[in-house]
Amino acid sequence: MPDFRSFFVDPDKIRKNYFTLNKKESHHLSNVLRIKAGERVWLIDGVGTAYNGVIENILPEKVSGTIKEVFPKYGEPTCDIFLAIGIIKRARMELAIEKATECGVRTITAVPMDRSIKRSINYERMNKIIRSATKQCARSKFPSLKNAASLQSWLDQLYDGPLVVCSAEATDRIGNLHSILPKKLKGLNLVIGPEGDFTDKEISLLKDNKALFVSLGNRRLKAETAVISALSIINEIIIRNGQSNG
């Protein structure tokens, strides 16, 4: 893990071993953080590669330098997690998306569920949070943020892998997934419901799609807390089952 701030570098702005930052990143590096020529920086291209570079030239709106090391798939798990979140209130949804990004998910889909108080999110703002969180935790790929018209529409586009649902009514603990999930798992669908959990109709729909229902314990967690808890445990199970981070 790098011990310095990371910056986004557009893949198109890398030529051989030379990089150029865009106006926004250049301003932040030179005017806000006041990083100087000769200092090392951590770069991510948002599509799966991280770089260790050295700043060489600093102009008002253009910072450039040389790439010293390349790290494919840095910070990315070998098992892709496709997360669906029942839409919750704005500040809490922002926290859930930020932490899901830090926990390495591949995609985040905001789903208006039966008990969702809000029916939509500000995608521009949420994508800014994703980009910021990706740089902060120094993973190399921006998760994609998607929307679904309903739970059914999300289920119609499931990744070909297990469907795990965290529900307060489940009897199996999430830790039991260690013995249930395949050892060479490449992808997993995860659903976290809104406040008040799922309705009977949604439970029936998920059962029809052969969902694995798991509990996060005997305390009723807020949705954003459930996201953090579930992803932390699942990431550990993936590692224990023979997977590893990049």
Side-chain angles (χ1 to χ4, degrees):
M1 174 62 66
D3 59 358
F4 35 76
R5 186 66 178 266
S6 60
F7 300 89
F8 168 66
V9 58
D10 190 319
D12 293 335
K13 297 298 183 180
I14 297 175
R15 296 287 186 271
K16 296 183 179 179
N17 292 326
Y18 199 75
F19 70 89
T20 302
L21 300 183
N22 63 26
K23 179 180 177 180
K24 180 179 178 181
E25 295 293 276
S26 294
H27 172 80
H28 189 64
L29 183 149
S30 59
N31 296 330
V32 179
L33 299 179
R34 299 191 180 280
I35 293 175
K36 306 298 182 182
E39 293 189 47
R40 283 185 175 267
V41 292
W42 188 256
L43 308 170
I44 60 168
D45 65 6
V47 293
T49 304
Y51 307 87
N52 186 312
V54 175
I55 300 298
E56 292 185 352
N57 301 297
I58 299 179
L59 298 176
E61 297 180 356
K62 183 178 179 181
V63 171
S64 58
T66 302
I67 291 173
K68 298 299 183 182
E69 295 178 275
V70 180
F71 303 91
K73 299 181 180 179
Y74 189 90
E76 301 301 320
T78 54
C79 175
D80 291 326
I81 299 177
F82 302 87
L83 174 66
I85 309 175
I87 297 176
I88 52 180
K89 292 180 180 179
R90 189 195 70 182
R92 294 164 65 181
M93 192 72 178
E94 290 175 358
L95 179 61
I97 287 177
E98 177 185 70
K99 299 310 174 187
T101 299
E102 292 180 28
C103 287
V105 299
R106 173 71 177 274
T107 68
I108 303 169
T109 305
V111 183
M113 297 189 186
D114 291 344
R115 288 178 174 152
S116 293
I117 296 175
K118 291 180 65 64
R119 311 304 296 176
S120 63
I121 64 172
N122 184 330
Y123 280 88
E124 182 178 358
R125 176 166 174 77
M126 295 299 180
N127 270 310
K128 288 180 179 178
I129 290 171
I130 285 175
R131 293 172 73 90
S132 178
T134 301
K135 292 194 295 180
Q136 182 275 322
C137 71
R139 61 179 294 193
S140 55
K141 182 180 290 185
F142 296 132
S144 58
L145 179 62
K146 301 181 178 181
N147 67 324
S150 65
L151 179 60
Q152 179 65 72
S153 65
W154 183 77
L155 289 168
D156 288 341
Q157 302 178 51
L158 280 182
Y159 175 86
D160 186 19
L163 171 59
V164 176
V165 179
C166 293
S167 172
E169 305 304 321
T171 55
D172 286 337
R173 300 293 292 267
I174 191 170
N176 293 341
L177 290 175
H178 172 60
S179 58
I180 298 174
L181 296 177
K183 298 296 181 181
K184 299 297 182 180
L185 188 63
K186 295 298 182 183
L188 177 147
N189 304 285
L190 175 65
V191 186
I192 305 291
E195 307 306 323
D197 211 6
F198 304 97
T199 61
D200 290 342
K201 177 183 176 182
E202 289 169 335
I203 292 290
S204 178
L205 186 60
L206 290 163
K207 286 181 177 178
D208 288 344
N209 283 269
K210 299 180 173 56
L212 301 170
F213 289 86
V214 295
S215 167
L216 291 169
N218 57 8
R219 292 178 298 278
R220 187 173 292 275
L221 303 179
K222 291 183 177 180
E224 65 272 28
T225 308
V227 167
I228 298 168
S229 179
L231 288 172
S232 297
I233 295 169
I234 288 173
N235 277 330
E236 179 62 22
I237 289 172
I238 290 170
I239 293 172
R240 289 174 59 196
N241 277 1
Q243 308 294 333
S244 64
N245 288 333

Short mmCIF file of all heavy atoms in Angstrom, two decimals, residues 53-81:
data_model
loop_
_atom_site.label_atom_id
_atom_site.label_comp_id
_atom_site.label_asym_id
_atom_site.label_seq_id
_atom_site.Cartn_x
_atom_site.Cartn_y
_atom_site.Cartn_z
N GLY A 53 5.03 6.97 -9.91
CA GLY A 53 5.70 7.91 -10.80
C GLY A 53 6.44 9.00 -10.07
O GLY A 53 6.31 9.15 -8.85
N VAL A 54 7.22 9.75 -10.81
CA VAL A 54 7.97 10.88 -10.27
C VAL A 54 7.57 12.14 -11.03
O VAL A 54 7.57 12.15 -12.27
CB VAL A 54 9.49 10.65 -10.39
CG1 VAL A 54 10.25 11.89 -9.94
CG2 VAL A 54 9.92 9.44 -9.57
N ILE A 55 7.23 13.19 -10.30
CA ILE A 55 6.87 14.47 -10.91
C ILE A 55 8.13 15.13 -11.49
O ILE A 55 9.15 15.23 -10.81
CB ILE A 55 6.23 15.41 -9.88
CG1 ILE A 55 4.96 14.79 -9.31
CG2 ILE A 55 5.92 16.77 -10.51
CD1 ILE A 55 3.88 14.52 -10.32
N GLU A 56 8.03 15.58 -12.74
CA GLU A 56 9.17 16.24 -13.38
C GLU A 56 8.87 17.70 -13.73
O GLU A 56 9.72 18.58 -13.52
CB GLU A 56 9.59 15.47 -14.63
CG GLU A 56 10.18 14.10 -14.33
CD GLU A 56 10.69 13.41 -15.58
OE1 GLU A 56 10.44 13.92 -16.70
OE2 GLU A 56 11.33 12.35 -15.44
N ASN A 57 7.67 17.94 -14.27
CA ASN A 57 7.33 19.29 -14.70
C ASN A 57 6.01 19.74 -14.08
O ASN A 57 5.03 19.00 -14.12
CB ASN A 57 7.22 19.36 -16.23
CG ASN A 57 8.52 18.94 -16.91
OD1 ASN A 57 9.54 19.59 -16.73
ND2 ASN A 57 8.46 17.86 -17.68
N ILE A 58 6.01 20.95 -13.52
CA ILE A 58 4.80 21.51 -12.92
C ILE A 58 4.49 22.85 -13.56
O ILE A 58 5.23 23.83 -13.38
CB ILE A 58 4.96 21.67 -11.40
CG1 ILE A 58 5.21 20.30 -10.74
CG2 ILE A 58 3.71 22.32 -10.80
CD1 ILE A 58 5.39 20.37 -9.24
N LEU A 59 3.41 22.89 -14.35
CA LEU A 59 2.90 24.12 -14.93
C LEU A 59 1.55 24.42 -14.29
O LEU A 59 0.97 23.55 -13.62
CB LEU A 59 2.76 23.95 -16.44
CG LEU A 59 4.08 23.67 -17.20
CD1 LEU A 59 3.79 23.43 -18.67
CD2 LEU A 59 5.06 24.81 -17.01
N PRO A 60 1.00 25.62 -14.44
CA PRO A 60 -0.25 25.98 -13.76
C PRO A 60 -1.39 24.98 -13.94
O PRO A 60 -2.12 24.70 -13.02
CB PRO A 60 -0.59 27.34 -14.38
CG PRO A 60 0.75 27.92 -14.73
CD PRO A 60 1.57 26.75 -15.18
N GLU A 61 -1.54 24.43 -15.13
CA GLU A 61 -2.65 23.51 -15.38
C GLU A 61 -2.18 22.20 -16.00
O GLU A 61 -2.97 21.46 -16.59
CB GLU A 61 -3.68 24.17 -16.29
CG GLU A 61 -4.33 25.41 -15.68
CD GLU A 61 -5.34 26.03 -16.61
OE1 GLU A 61 -5.47 25.56 -17.75
OE2 GLU A 61 -6.00 27.00 -16.19
N LYS A 62 -0.90 21.89 -15.84
CA LYS A 62 -0.36 20.69 -16.47
C LYS A 62 0.84 20.17 -15.69
O LYS A 62 1.90 20.78 -15.68
CB LYS A 62 0.03 21.00 -17.92
CG LYS A 62 0.53 19.80 -18.71
CD LYS A 62 0.86 20.21 -20.14
CE LYS A 62 1.37 19.05 -20.96
NZ LYS A 62 1.70 19.45 -22.35
N VAL A 63 0.62 19.05 -15.03
CA VAL A 63 1.70 18.38 -14.30
C VAL A 63 2.03 17.10 -15.02
O VAL A 63 1.15 16.34 -15.43
CB VAL A 63 1.27 18.08 -12.85
CG1 VAL A 63 2.31 17.20 -12.15
CG2 VAL A 63 1.06 19.37 -12.07
N SER A 64 3.32 16.83 -15.19
CA SER A 64 3.73 15.63 -15.91
C SER A 64 4.95 15.01 -15.24
O SER A 64 5.59 15.62 -14.38
CB SER A 64 4.04 15.96 -17.38
OG SER A 64 5.06 16.95 -17.46
N GLY A 65 5.23 13.79 -15.64
CA GLY A 65 6.36 13.10 -15.04
C GLY A 65 6.60 11.74 -15.68
O GLY A 65 6.05 11.42 -16.74
N THR A 66 7.42 10.95 -15.02
CA THR A 66 7.84 9.65 -15.54
C THR A 66 7.31 8.52 -14.68
O THR A 66 7.34 8.60 -13.45
CB THR A 66 9.38 9.56 -15.59
OG1 THR A 66 9.88 10.63 -16.40
CG2 THR A 66 9.82 8.24 -16.17
N ILE A 67 6.82 7.48 -15.32
CA ILE A 67 6.35 6.29 -14.61
C ILE A 67 7.53 5.38 -14.32
O ILE A 67 8.31 5.05 -15.22
CB ILE A 67 5.29 5.56 -15.46
CG1 ILE A 67 4.01 6.40 -15.54
CG2 ILE A 67 4.99 4.17 -14.87
CD1 ILE A 67 2.97 5.85 -16.47
N LYS A 68 7.66 4.97 -13.07
CA LYS A 68 8.76 4.11 -12.65
C LYS A 68 8.35 2.65 -12.48
O LYS A 68 9.14 1.75 -12.74
CB LYS A 68 9.33 4.62 -11.33
CG LYS A 68 9.91 6.04 -11.42
CD LYS A 68 11.06 6.10 -12.42
CE LYS A 68 11.68 7.50 -12.45
NZ LYS A 68 12.78 7.58 -13.45
N GLU A 69 7.10 2.42 -12.04
CA GLU A 69 6.62 1.06 -11.83
C GLU A 69 5.16 0.96 -12.24
O GLU A 69 4.40 1.93 -12.12
CB GLU A 69 6.75 0.64 -10.37
CG GLU A 69 8.18 0.55 -9.85
CD GLU A 69 8.22 0.17 -8.38
OE1 GLU A 69 8.12 1.09 -7.54
OE2 GLU A 69 8.35 -1.02 -8.08
N VAL A 70 4.76 -0.22 -12.71
CA VAL A 70 3.39 -0.47 -13.14
C VAL A 70 2.82 -1.63 -12.33
O VAL A 70 3.48 -2.66 -12.14
CB VAL A 70 3.34 -0.82 -14.65
CG1 VAL A 70 1.90 -1.08 -15.09
CG2 VAL A 70 3.95 0.31 -15.47
N PHE A 71 1.56 -1.47 -11.85
CA PHE A 71 0.94 -2.48 -11.01
C PHE A 71 -0.45 -2.83 -11.56
O PHE A 71 -1.44 -2.19 -11.21
CB PHE A 71 0.80 -1.97 -9.57
CG PHE A 71 2.10 -1.56 -8.93
CD1 PHE A 71 2.54 -0.25 -9.04
CD2 PHE A 71 2.87 -2.47 -8.24
CE1 PHE A 71 3.73 0.15 -8.45
CE2 PHE A 71 4.06 -2.09 -7.65
CZ PHE A 71 4.50 -0.78 -7.76
N PRO A 72 -0.52 -3.85 -12.43
CA PRO A 72 -1.82 -4.25 -12.98
C PRO A 72 -2.74 -4.78 -11.87
O PRO A 72 -2.31 -5.49 -10.96
CB PRO A 72 -1.47 -5.37 -13.97
CG PRO A 72 -0.01 -5.16 -14.27
CD PRO A 72 0.59 -4.62 -13.01
N LYS A 73 -4.02 -4.40 -11.95
CA LYS A 73 -5.07 -4.88 -11.04
C LYS A 73 -4.76 -4.60 -9.57
O LYS A 73 -5.21 -5.33 -8.69
CB LYS A 73 -5.31 -6.38 -11.24
CG LYS A 73 -5.78 -6.73 -12.64
CD LYS A 73 -6.04 -8.21 -12.80
CE LYS A 73 -6.51 -8.53 -14.20
NZ LYS A 73 -6.76 -9.99 -14.39
N TYR A 74 -4.03 -3.52 -9.30
CA TYR A 74 -3.67 -3.22 -7.92
C TYR A 74 -4.93 -2.91 -7.09
O TYR A 74 -5.77 -2.11 -7.47
CB TYR A 74 -2.72 -2.02 -7.84
CG TYR A 74 -2.17 -1.84 -6.44
CD1 TYR A 74 -1.00 -2.47 -6.06
CD2 TYR A 74 -2.84 -1.06 -5.51
CE1 TYR A 74 -0.51 -2.33 -4.77
CE2 TYR A 74 -2.36 -0.92 -4.22
CZ TYR A 74 -1.19 -1.56 -3.86
OH TYR A 74 -0.72 -1.43 -2.58
N GLY A 75 -5.03 -3.57 -5.93
CA GLY A 75 -6.14 -3.33 -5.02
C GLY A 75 -7.45 -3.95 -5.45
O GLY A 75 -8.48 -3.75 -4.80
N GLU A 76 -7.45 -4.74 -6.54
CA GLU A 76 -8.68 -5.34 -7.04
C GLU A 76 -8.76 -6.81 -6.68
O GLU A 76 -7.81 -7.56 -6.89
CB GLU A 76 -8.76 -5.19 -8.56
CG GLU A 76 -8.72 -3.75 -9.04
CD GLU A 76 -9.85 -2.91 -8.47
OE1 GLU A 76 -10.98 -3.42 -8.36
OE2 GLU A 76 -9.60 -1.74 -8.12
N PRO A 77 -9.87 -7.25 -6.09
CA PRO A 77 -10.01 -8.67 -5.75
C PRO A 77 -10.17 -9.52 -7.00
O PRO A 77 -10.59 -9.02 -8.05
CB PRO A 77 -11.28 -8.70 -4.88
CG PRO A 77 -12.06 -7.52 -5.37
CD PRO A 77 -11.05 -6.46 -5.73
N THR A 78 -9.84 -10.78 -6.89
CA THR A 78 -10.00 -11.68 -8.04
C THR A 78 -11.44 -12.14 -8.19
O THR A 78 -11.81 -12.68 -9.23
CB THR A 78 -9.09 -12.91 -7.89
OG1 THR A 78 -9.35 -13.53 -6.63
CG2 THR A 78 -7.63 -12.51 -7.96
N CYS A 79 -12.25 -11.93 -7.17
CA CYS A 79 -13.68 -12.24 -7.25
C CYS A 79 -14.45 -10.93 -7.36
O CYS A 79 -14.40 -10.09 -6.46
CB CYS A 79 -14.14 -13.02 -6.01
SG CYS A 79 -15.91 -13.30 -5.96
N ASP A 80 -15.17 -10.75 -8.45
CA ASP A 80 -15.96 -9.53 -8.65
C ASP A 80 -17.24 -9.59 -7.82
O ASP A 80 -17.96 -10.60 -7.84
CB ASP A 80 -16.33 -9.37 -10.12
CG ASP A 80 -15.12 -9.05 -10.98
OD1 ASP A 80 -14.21 -8.37 -10.49
OD2 ASP A 80 -15.09 -9.51 -12.14
N ILE A 81 -17.53 -8.51 -7.11
CA ILE A 81 -18.76 -8.42 -6.32
C ILE A 81 -19.68 -7.40 -6.97
O ILE A 81 -19.31 -6.24 -7.16
CB ILE A 81 -18.47 -8.03 -4.86
CG1 ILE A 81 -17.59 -9.10 -4.19
CG2 ILE A 81 -19.79 -7.87 -4.08
CD1 ILE A 81 -17.18 -8.76 -2.77
#
